[in-house]
Amino acid sequence: MIDFVWWGSIAEDTSIKPFKINVSQEIIDDLNQRLQKALPLPEWPPRDSRVYGWNTEDLKGILEFWREEYRWREREEFLNKYPQFTVSVEGLHIHYLHVKPNNTERLKVVPLLMLHGWPGSVREFYEIIPFLTRSHQKGTNFVFEVIAPSLPGFGFSNATTRGGLGAVRMAILLKNFMLRVGFSKFYVQGGDWGGIIAQHMAALFAEHIKGIHSNFCFVYTRISHVERLITIYSPSIFLPYLTTETERKQYPLQKNFYRLLREFGTVIMQSQTPDTLGLAFQHNPVGLLAFILEKFAAWTEPQWKFLKDGGLRNRFDITNLLDNVMIYWVTGSMTTSMRLVQGDA
């Protein structure tokens, strides 16, 4: 049995309140001053990749765009295009998008909880929401009603005031969130941390979860980490059908493990000292920008590290990526978002 935990200082309140993003001009002016006064970026001999991290030549162009062309008030209006609300759950104000379909004639409305990860936000869902909330295929008899919360400690949701709010506890909180919003049975989609949280929700609350979709299928237990390490060097122990040396060399886990080892160095740091790491970004928008963009590139396509621009423009629009960076900056939530790893340690 899992005991009940009160994660914040908000009094119990079952009311759902409308929410609009409205960042003070003082915060925007302060950001603009920091961008204008940013120190010169480190120089490095010309190179055509980001094997050392983000290519500073490319970063200069993105910074110039952020300073001169990106308009927060216009983007704020865009981010407010969908209905948003807050509701208190276990002592925390949880911010969320709640988008209902416009046309439900002869269609079954299906509630879908969408969970983002790190270093993401609900911004990731804006382009797909219109496809989910209207029926496209002939013969389809359902349409989704999307509920997309900012995870606690991310964006416009409160951060916990105590330690221990990891993925399992967050699964409990988000189940209670859905009950409070009015859904006892629903589907779940999750990616990154959202995928891990979705897995826990399905395991703990099968009576509430009608189905789960994940783009981050990952076994996340202590014993699974040990099994992975063993399988890298002796795959036949757990996979006896790999009988020949050729088959063992072709087994993809070894190659993928080294990539994960390289990329998960950040996660290891977060699991140990998230607040120290957070200080590097709390007052430094340039560092925050480079850090988030580098992770979007590295975790989307590993081979992009050999491209000068990190491959971002192959898949993403820079304005949309800056929206996500801005959500972290204006809410000061980079540090609190990284605490999720330690809470799950």
Side-chain angles (χ1 to χ4, degrees):
M1 181 177 178
I2 302 175
D3 58 311
F4 181 80
V5 178
W6 198 256
W7 295 108
S9 57
I10 305 300
E12 180 71 5
D13 181 3
T14 61
S15 63
I16 294 174
K17 298 178 173 61
F19 179 87
K20 286 267 188 194
I21 300 173
N22 184 22
V23 177
S24 73
Q25 190 59 43
E26 182 181 6
I27 291 176
I28 302 305
D29 290 343
D30 176 74
L31 170 62
N32 289 332
Q33 290 175 14
R34 292 175 189 271
L35 291 175
Q36 293 295 336
K37 295 179 180 180
L39 296 173
L41 297 176
E43 294 296 332
W44 191 260
R47 65 186 190 274
D48 296 321
S49 70
R50 58 166 184 81
V51 293
Y52 281 84
W54 202 260
N55 187 302
T56 51
E57 282 300 313
D58 185 59
L59 186 60
K60 287 178 183 178
I62 298 174
L63 276 173
E64 184 68 17
F65 178 81
W66 195 7
R67 280 192 297 253
E68 304 300 333
E69 298 184 49
Y70 183 86
R71 298 288 181 265
W72 170 249
R73 293 306 177 194
E74 295 177 8
R75 303 311 298 168
E76 191 176 60
E77 183 177 352
F78 169 82
L79 293 172
N80 282 322
K81 67 184 288 186
Y82 295 127
Q84 299 171 70
F85 305 88
T86 61
V87 66
S88 67
V89 183
E90 298 180 16
L92 301 175
H93 279 318
I94 303 300
H95 159 264
Y96 64 102
L97 310 178
H98 191 167
V99 187
K100 299 180 180 181
N102 292 325
N103 180 16
T104 60
E105 185 179 359
R106 294 190 297 274
L107 294 173
K108 180 181 179 180
V109 179
V110 178
L112 174 63
L113 173 66
M114 299 191 73
L115 302 175
H116 66 82
W118 181 94
S121 66
V122 294
R123 175 63 185 88
E124 297 173 47
F125 304 137
Y126 272 64
E127 281 71 30
I128 199 172
I129 283 175
F131 293 92
L132 296 171
T133 53
R134 68 174 183 263
S135 178
H136 288 271
Q137 296 182 349
K138 186 177 180 180
T140 301
N141 63 352
F142 70 92
V143 66
F144 288 110
E145 176 175 353
V146 173
I147 305 95
S150 298
L151 298 181
F154 290 71
F156 300 98
S157 286
N158 286 161
T160 178
T161 57
R162 57 182 297 175
L165 184 54
V168 173
R169 297 284 189 176
M170 206 168 280
I172 300 168
L173 185 149
L174 289 169
K175 181 268 295 183
N176 293 333
F177 159 78
M178 287 298 284
L179 294 176
R180 180 141 297 178
V181 173
F183 299 99
S184 61
K185 294 183 181 296
F186 49 91
Y187 291 85
V188 186
Q189 140 66 27
D192 191 75
W193 275 115
I196 295 174
I197 293 167
Q199 290 173 213
H200 291 314
M201 293 182 76
L204 293 171
F205 309 113
E207 70 276 19
H208 295 290
I209 310 301
K210 299 185 69 174
I212 176 176
H213 177 275
S214 175
N215 51 295
F216 192 79
C217 299
F218 194 78
V219 179
Y220 195 74
T221 62
R222 288 180 174 86
I223 189 63
S224 69
H225 299 327
V226 174
E227 290 176 347
R228 266 190 290 274
L229 287 171
I230 296 174
T231 307
I232 287 167
Y233 297 102
S234 300
S236 59
I237 292 178
F238 294 106
L239 303 168
Y241 55 83
L242 299 178
T243 56
T244 69
E245 183 65 23
T246 299
E247 288 175 332
R248 285 192 286 271
K249 287 181 178 180
Q250 290 176 342
Y251 184 64
L253 185 58
Q254 188 173 48
K255 178 179 69 176
N256 291 334
F257 175 78
Y258 289 126
R259 179 177 68 84
L260 288 171
L261 192 64
R262 172 188 173 93
E263 299 299 340
F264 270 61
T266 302
V267 179
I268 293 170
M269 290 178 66
Q270 292 177 28
S271 70
Q272 300 299 314
T273 54
D275 284 31
T276 303
L277 185 60
L279 288 173
F281 310 111
Q282 194 72 27
H283 306 287
N284 180 7
V286 179
L288 180 70
L289 172 70
F291 195 57
I292 290 179
L293 294 191
E294 201 272 336
K295 296 310 170 192
F296 264 80
W299 295 349
T300 299
E301 173 51 63
Q303 294 306 308
W304 284 357
K305 71 179 180 179
F306 299 111
L307 302 178
K308 182 177 180 179
D309 67 351
L312 277 180
R313 293 167 183 82
N314 296 342
R315 187 70 59 83
F316 301 106
D317 179 270
I318 298 301
T319 297
N320 296 343
L321 289 172
L322 283 172
D323 291 344
N324 184 65
V325 173
M326 285 293 292
I327 288 173
Y328 277 91
W329 180 264
V330 301
T331 60
S333 59
M334 191 57 164
T335 299
T336 55
S337 70
M338 293 191 293
R339 290 175 184 164
L340 174 55
V341 184
Q342 191 174 67
D344 210 56

